[in-house]
């Protein structure tokens, strides 16, 4: 057949063009001469130079060892010997040791029942295959996530039928997948919660809502109520048309039960608190009346039977009774502070309160030659209860005087800092100081409270700390033995 | 110095009554006294006395916590009765609960709140008008 030169040339060019654009190369093998021919594109796909001359053995060796090489060898042999065409997808390894997916097609040309030529195509399908495989992997991952999630998950169509449910959801509701798919979510929802659920779904379909979250009840297969936290979102197509719902269902039955337990505990605690309050009343009243009687009777004995008091025992009885009275007073104060939780606080001028406290102990200050320096803004107000603030200030001042160094009069410095919403009141003495390592834990504790001791600091500070906390403040201390103690009292600032 | 003829003790505690009486005697606080063991007992006896213009106590020492009718209930009833004589009422209680102290302040007729125990000194201060 005569083909004009130009036409041959142009058709070859066209073939090249097609091969290149489609990433499809051609190949030919002559089983008689054992000649193997590759088109340029085939060489390019192999990432080999265009002047490369292939032979069969080498050609086969480009296929990845194992599955790919075995497959191609088998198919190629079958093609020549049994004239079976093939079309397969396998991996080759480029000279740069890169794996590449290719599609290989082989067709046997038969003459006289003999294969005289194998013609084939060789296509680079690397990108496509890898994308597909990646997609498949991702799909699988998603599926695994869905399946193994501890939270119940479901895809529900717009009519409420389950498209897919995961194992957790089956476990929560007690049905297997086959059973559950025969039911709609409406069948499984507690009748009282159906309306609310349904309304929300309708609003999502109408586009008024993108997602919603409710706490609702399902009825499990064995008829039990299952409390669940349900989160639903709607999935829409590219045009914004609703496709289906994605639901997450978390079993909160146990949490509900625990919550109930907690509220029961709270109730118990409230009752116990009430009983404690009653106890405080009993202490403050009943015990006090007995103490009162004892004290009164002792007074009468002193007047009526003076001869019975003139001994070692009577003064001790008197002392014991008076200690009993003090203990009861202290107990009562502690109880009173702890009982009054919703105290009414009011703005109090800090400087005025200090001046009031100082004037009430002016005699003590004069006698002890105490010097007090106060650096407080005249317009600084804190929120507190007047009686508490007075008692707090007095306690710190008298403590500072009581625990002065034996050798010199007390020196007290008072200043304030502002820290956020708090006024930090600093009361520094230059007294004996406290070994905080030894006594730090006990300083504000009730430890010494009921042990009568010369220094009654234990109870004083305990009550003071309670009073500070009752008005929303806190107290901290730093101290060095023989240098002095500084108390930092944070009180709520009045804005 | 005030002169007290008749003093009244309303209290359910026999020891307190014994002590208060003895202290009153010792201090020459009053010439005589009457004792009621709870608020109801007091109202039931005082009411006819007031209505029939019998001699009434000059002062009343009133306990709060009592059975049958407590001190508050007594006060509520007592202030309803017209009296031909001014009677000074002192609450004498062992309660140091601020709520009780506040509550006592609300009664005009209550002169003061005495926290038990009472002592000779307390009685002297009542006589001296400083309580």
């Amino acid at each position: 057949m005569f083909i004009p030169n130009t036409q041959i040339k142009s058709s070859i060019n066209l073939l090249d063009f097609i091969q290149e654009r489609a990433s499809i190369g051609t190949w030919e093998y002559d089983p008689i001469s054992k000649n193997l021919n590759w088109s340029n594109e085939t060489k390019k796909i192999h990432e080999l130079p265009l002047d490369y001359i292939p032979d069969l053995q080498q050609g086969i060796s480009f296929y990845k060892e194992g599955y790919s090489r075995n497959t191609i060898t088998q198919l190629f042999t079958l093609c020549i010997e049994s004239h079976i065409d093939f079309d397969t997808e396998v991996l080759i390894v480029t000279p740069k040791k890169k794996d590449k997916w290719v599609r290989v097609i082989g067709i046997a040309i038969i003459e006289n029942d003999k294969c005289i030529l194998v013609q084939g195509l060789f296509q680079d399908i690397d990108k496509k295959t890898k994308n597909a495989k990646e997609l498949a992997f991702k799909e699988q991952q998603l599926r695994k996530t869905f399946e193994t999630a501890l939270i119940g998950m479901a895809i529900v169509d717009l009519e409420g039928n389950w498209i897919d449910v995961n194992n957790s959801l089956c476990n929560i509701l007690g049905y297997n997948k086959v059973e559950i798919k025969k039911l709609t979510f409406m069948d499984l929802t507690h009748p009282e919660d159906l309306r609310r659920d349904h309304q929300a779904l309708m609003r999502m379909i109408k586009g008024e809502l993108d997602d919603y979250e409710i706490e609702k009840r399902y009825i499990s297969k064995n008829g039990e109520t299952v409390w669940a936290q349900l989160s639903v979102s709607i999935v829409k197509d590219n045009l914004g048309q609703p496709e289906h719902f994605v639901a997450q269902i978390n079993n909160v039955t146990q949490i509900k039960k625990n919550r109930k337990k907690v509220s029961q505990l709270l109730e118990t605690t409230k009752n116990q608190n009430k009983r404690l309050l009653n106890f405080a009343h009993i202490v403050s009243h009943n015990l006090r009346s007995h103490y009162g009687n004892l004290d009164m009777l002792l007074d009468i004995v002193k007047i009526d039977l003076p001869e019975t008091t003139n001994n070692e025992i009577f003064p001790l009885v008197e002392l014991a009774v008076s200690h009993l009275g003090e203990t009861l007073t202290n107990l009562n104060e502690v109880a009173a502070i702890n009982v009054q939780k919703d105290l009414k606080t009011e703005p109090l001028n800090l400087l005025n309160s200090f001046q009031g406290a100082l004037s009430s102990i002016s005699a003590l200050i004069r006698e002890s030659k105490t010097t007090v320096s106060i650096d407080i803004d005249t317009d600084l107000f804190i929120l507190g209860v007047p009686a508490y603030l007075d008692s707090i200030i007095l306690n710190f001042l008298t403590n500072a005087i009581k625990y002065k160094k034996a050798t010199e009069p007390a020196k007290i410095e008072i200043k304030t800092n502002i820290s956020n919403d708090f006024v930090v009141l600093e009361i520094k003495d230059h007294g004996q100081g406290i070994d905080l390592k030894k006594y730090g834990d006990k300083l504000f504790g009730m430890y010494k409270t009921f042990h009568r001791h010369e220094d009654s600091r234990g109870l004083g500070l305990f009550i003071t700390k309670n009073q500070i906390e009752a008005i929303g403040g806190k107290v901290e201390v730093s101290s060095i033995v023989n240098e002095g103690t500084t108390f930092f009292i944070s009180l709520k600032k009045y804005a | 110095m005030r002169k007290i003829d008749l003093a009244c003790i309303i209290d359910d505690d026999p020891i307190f009554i014994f002590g208060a009486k003895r202290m009153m005697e010792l201090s020459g606080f009053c010439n005589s006294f009457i004792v009621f063991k709870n608020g109801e007992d007091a109202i039931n006896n005082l009411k006819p006395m007031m209505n029939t213009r019998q001699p009434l106590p000059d002062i009343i020492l009133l306990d709060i916590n009592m059975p049958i009718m407590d001190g508050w209930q007594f006060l509520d009833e007592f202030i309803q009765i017209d009296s031909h004589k001014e009677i000074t009422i002192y609450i004498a209680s062992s309660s140091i609960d601020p709520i009780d102290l506040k509550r006592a302040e609300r009664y005009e007729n209550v002169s003061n709140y005495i926290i038990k125990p009472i002592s000779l000194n307390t009685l002297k201060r009542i006589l001296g008008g400083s309580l």
Side-chain angles (χ1 to χ4, degrees):
Chain A
M1 194 169 60
F2 173 80
I3 298 164
N5 224 355
T6 49
Q7 206 161 349
I8 292 175
K9 206 177 168 197
S10 76
S11 71
I12 287 173
N13 282 347
L14 182 63
L15 202 62
D16 280 348
F17 176 78
I18 291 168
Q19 289 203 14
E20 202 178 315
R21 277 304 162 120
S23 293
I24 298 175
T26 55
W27 56 274
E28 247 178 20
Y29 178 70
D30 182 344
I32 299 145
S33 67
K34 301 203 188 315
N35 266 340
L36 180 63
N37 273 317
W38 284 1
S39 73
N40 284 348
E41 190 55 31
T42 303
K43 292 176 189 169
K44 270 188 209 163
I45 294 169
H46 276 92
E47 294 176 19
L48 292 165
L50 295 181
D51 56 3
Y52 174 79
I53 298 162
D55 67 50
L56 185 63
Q57 212 166 1
Q58 244 183 346
I60 295 282
S61 74
F62 286 117
Y63 291 90
K64 194 176 167 80
E65 226 182 311
Y67 169 80
S68 292
R69 196 179 293 172
N70 297 342
T71 304
I72 207 75
T73 309
Q74 202 182 2
L75 290 173
F76 195 71
T77 316
L78 274 169
C79 187
I80 292 167
E81 289 173 2
S82 313
H83 314 152
I84 298 167
D85 301 343
F86 66 88
D87 182 348
T88 187
E89 289 177 6
V90 284
L91 273 171
I92 58 166
V93 183
T94 69
K96 284 179 183 156
K97 307 281 172 217
K98 204 179 84 191
D99 288 1
K100 192 182 250 185
W101 283 98
V102 293
R103 179 181 178 189
V104 191
I105 295 172
I107 296 157
I109 309 287
I110 318 295
E111 223 178 72
N112 297 330
D113 226 15
K114 242 189 150 183
C115 177
I116 53 153
L117 196 68
V118 182
Q119 283 187 321
L121 295 177
F122 193 80
Q123 185 182 8
D124 181 351
I125 54 163
D126 193 55
K127 215 171 178 178
K128 185 192 102 198
T129 310
K130 277 185 181 155
N131 282 346
K133 288 202 186 285
E134 207 171 310
L135 212 65
F137 178 70
K138 276 186 183 160
E139 216 275 331
Q140 199 187 16
Q141 263 188 327
L142 265 176
R143 175 128 297 271
K144 272 189 190 158
T145 308
F146 182 79
E147 274 311 330
T148 56
L150 286 175
I151 196 167
M153 287 171 83
I155 298 167
V156 179
D157 73 13
L158 301 178
E159 276 77 50
N161 302 303
W162 307 99
I163 300 172
D164 205 352
V165 294
N166 72 353
N167 289 331
S168 292
L169 186 61
C170 290
N171 291 339
I172 290 169
L173 299 176
Y175 290 96
N176 66 37
K177 280 190 184 184
V178 179
E179 291 169 330
I180 216 168
K181 280 186 182 172
K182 286 179 191 157
L183 300 161
T184 65
F185 83 86
M186 286 83 90
D187 299 324
L188 295 169
T189 298
H190 191 288
E192 285 170 29
D193 291 344
L194 198 55
R195 231 176 81 98
R196 213 158 45 109
D197 217 0
H198 196 71
Q199 276 175 346
L201 289 181
M202 293 317 288
R203 291 186 63 194
M204 286 211 294
I205 292 173
K206 281 189 206 157
E208 294 169 10
L209 269 181
D210 283 334
D211 48 59
Y212 78 102
E213 247 181 336
I214 52 167
E215 205 172 65
K216 64 174 274 189
R217 285 162 293 176
Y218 290 95
I219 305 290
S220 72
K221 190 178 178 182
N222 59 20
E224 276 173 24
T225 299
V226 177
W227 275 99
Q229 173 76 31
L230 169 70
S231 316
V232 185
S233 46
I234 191 160
V235 178
K236 294 176 179 172
D237 65 15
N238 290 338
L239 297 170
Q241 286 302 306
E243 283 189 324
H244 58 257
F245 300 110
V246 175
Q248 292 183 33
I249 297 139
N250 208 0
N251 189 352
V252 293
T253 310
Q254 198 53 45
I255 295 169
K256 277 258 168 191
K257 277 185 191 159
N258 288 348
R259 229 183 272 163
K260 202 171 168 190
K261 246 186 233 166
V262 169
S263 75
Q264 277 167 348
L265 270 177
L266 191 70
E267 197 55 38
T268 313
T269 313
K270 269 187 195 162
N271 284 335
Q272 278 171 342
N273 255 345
K274 226 183 248 171
R275 280 202 288 275
L276 266 179
L277 190 60
N278 273 337
F279 180 73
H281 269 285
I282 291 165
V283 167
S284 96
H285 184 80
N286 295 18
L287 281 186
R288 268 194 65 83
S289 65
H290 300 317
Y291 147 74
N293 283 341
L294 278 175
D295 195 64
M296 189 177 63
L297 292 174
L298 285 178
D299 266 5
I300 295 169
V301 168
K302 274 192 278 186
I303 299 160
D304 270 5
L305 309 159
E307 67 279 7
T308 63
T309 64
N310 192 15
N311 53 46
E312 272 176 56
I313 298 166
F314 188 83
L316 291 179
V317 173
E318 261 196 316
L319 191 65
V321 170
S322 102
H323 284 175
L324 175 64
E326 278 174 48
T327 299
L328 289 173
T329 306
N330 292 339
L331 252 181
N332 195 265
E333 261 183 78
V334 173
I337 295 164
N338 285 320
V339 160
Q340 292 180 300
K341 279 302 170 205
D342 41 355
L343 277 177
K344 262 203 173 157
T345 57
E346 52 185 275
L348 302 168
N349 184 291
L350 199 55
L351 185 58
N352 283 353
S353 305
F354 260 97
Q355 281 162 346
L358 284 173
S359 73
S360 75
I361 54 165
S362 56
L364 175 66
I365 289 175
R366 225 178 9 254
E367 278 164 30
S368 59
K369 297 194 172 68
T370 301
T371 51
V372 183
S373 75
I374 303 183
D375 179 12
I376 300 175
D377 277 349
T378 49
D379 53 359
L380 188 59
F381 283 82
I382 64 117
L383 277 173
V385 175
Y388 283 9
L389 184 62
D390 292 345
S391 146
I392 292 162
I393 293 172
L394 264 181
N395 204 336
F396 283 116
L397 290 177
T398 51
N399 265 349
I401 297 170
K402 204 186 293 174
Y403 298 99
K404 71 182 188 62
K405 282 179 193 150
T407 49
E408 53 189 90
K411 210 164 84 186
I412 309 172
E413 289 165 27
I414 297 148
K415 59 178 178 178
T416 58
N417 289 307
I418 306 295
S419 165
N420 297 327
D421 299 333
F422 286 88
V423 174
V424 183
L425 175 62
E426 245 183 82
I427 301 179
K428 181 175 186 178
D429 64 39
H430 294 266
Q432 300 170 10
I434 316 152
D435 185 344
L436 289 176
K437 267 194 196 130
K438 266 192 195 165
Y439 303 112
D441 320 341
K442 291 168 189 162
L443 188 58
F444 294 105
M446 231 201 294
Y447 179 65
K448 289 182 188 167
T449 305
F450 302 115
H451 298 254
R452 290 304 310 178
H453 197 265
E454 282 264 69
D455 58 84
S456 54
R457 190 169 201 157
L459 182 67
L461 277 181
F462 178 74
I463 288 178
T464 303
K465 181 175 188 264
N466 271 269
Q467 286 173 331
I468 291 169
E469 285 168 0
I471 56 173
K474 64 170 183 176
V475 56
E476 284 165 318
V477 63
S478 76
S479 187
I480 299 168
V481 174
N482 289 328
E483 282 187 29
T485 304
T486 309
F487 286 99
F488 302 89
I489 305 127
S490 302
L491 299 165
K492 276 192 185 163
K493 193 168 145 251
Y494 176 68
Chain B
M1 199 73 139
R2 157 149 68 142
K3 176 80 190 102
I4 294 172
D5 185 43
L6 181 62
C8 171
I9 302 167
I10 306 175
D11 202 306
D12 62 320
D13 179 355
I15 300 178
F16 177 78
I17 293 167
F18 166 81
K21 273 162 81 171
R22 190 72 192 106
M23 288 223 182
M24 285 177 180
E25 287 163 4
L26 288 168
S27 60
F29 183 76
C30 53
N31 298 330
S32 59
F33 32 71
I34 42 177
V35 175
F36 301 114
K37 58 184 184 297
N38 65 59
E40 193 185 60
D41 189 21
I43 281 287
N44 287 345
N45 286 284
L46 285 173
K47 215 172 181 174
M49 287 165 71
M50 286 160 94
N51 292 337
T52 55
R53 297 196 147 256
Q54 287 179 50
L56 290 175
D58 302 276
I59 74 149
I60 294 176
L61 288 186
L62 176 66
D63 187 24
I64 295 177
N65 288 322
M66 288 180 290
I68 305 168
M69 185 192 275
D70 70 16
W72 303 123
Q73 289 169 308
F74 168 80
L75 273 173
D76 291 335
E77 291 233 0
F78 184 77
I79 56 179
Q80 304 294 324
I81 308 167
D82 266 340
S83 175
H84 58 276
K85 183 178 169 183
E86 196 180 316
I87 301 173
T88 313
I89 300 174
Y90 290 89
I91 287 178
S93 168
S94 36
S95 167
I96 51 174
D97 191 333
I99 296 168
D100 285 339
L101 270 81
K102 271 258 160 61
R103 190 162 172 188
E105 281 172 17
R106 292 210 297 268
Y107 291 92
E108 253 179 63
N109 309 45
V110 173
S111 279
N112 215 325
Y113 189 108
I114 301 166
I115 294 169
K116 289 176 182 174
I118 63 164
S119 59
L120 283 177
N121 197 27
T122 315
L123 295 180
K124 275 179 196 152
R125 282 169 65 202
I126 292 176
L127 279 179
S130 66
L131 256 182

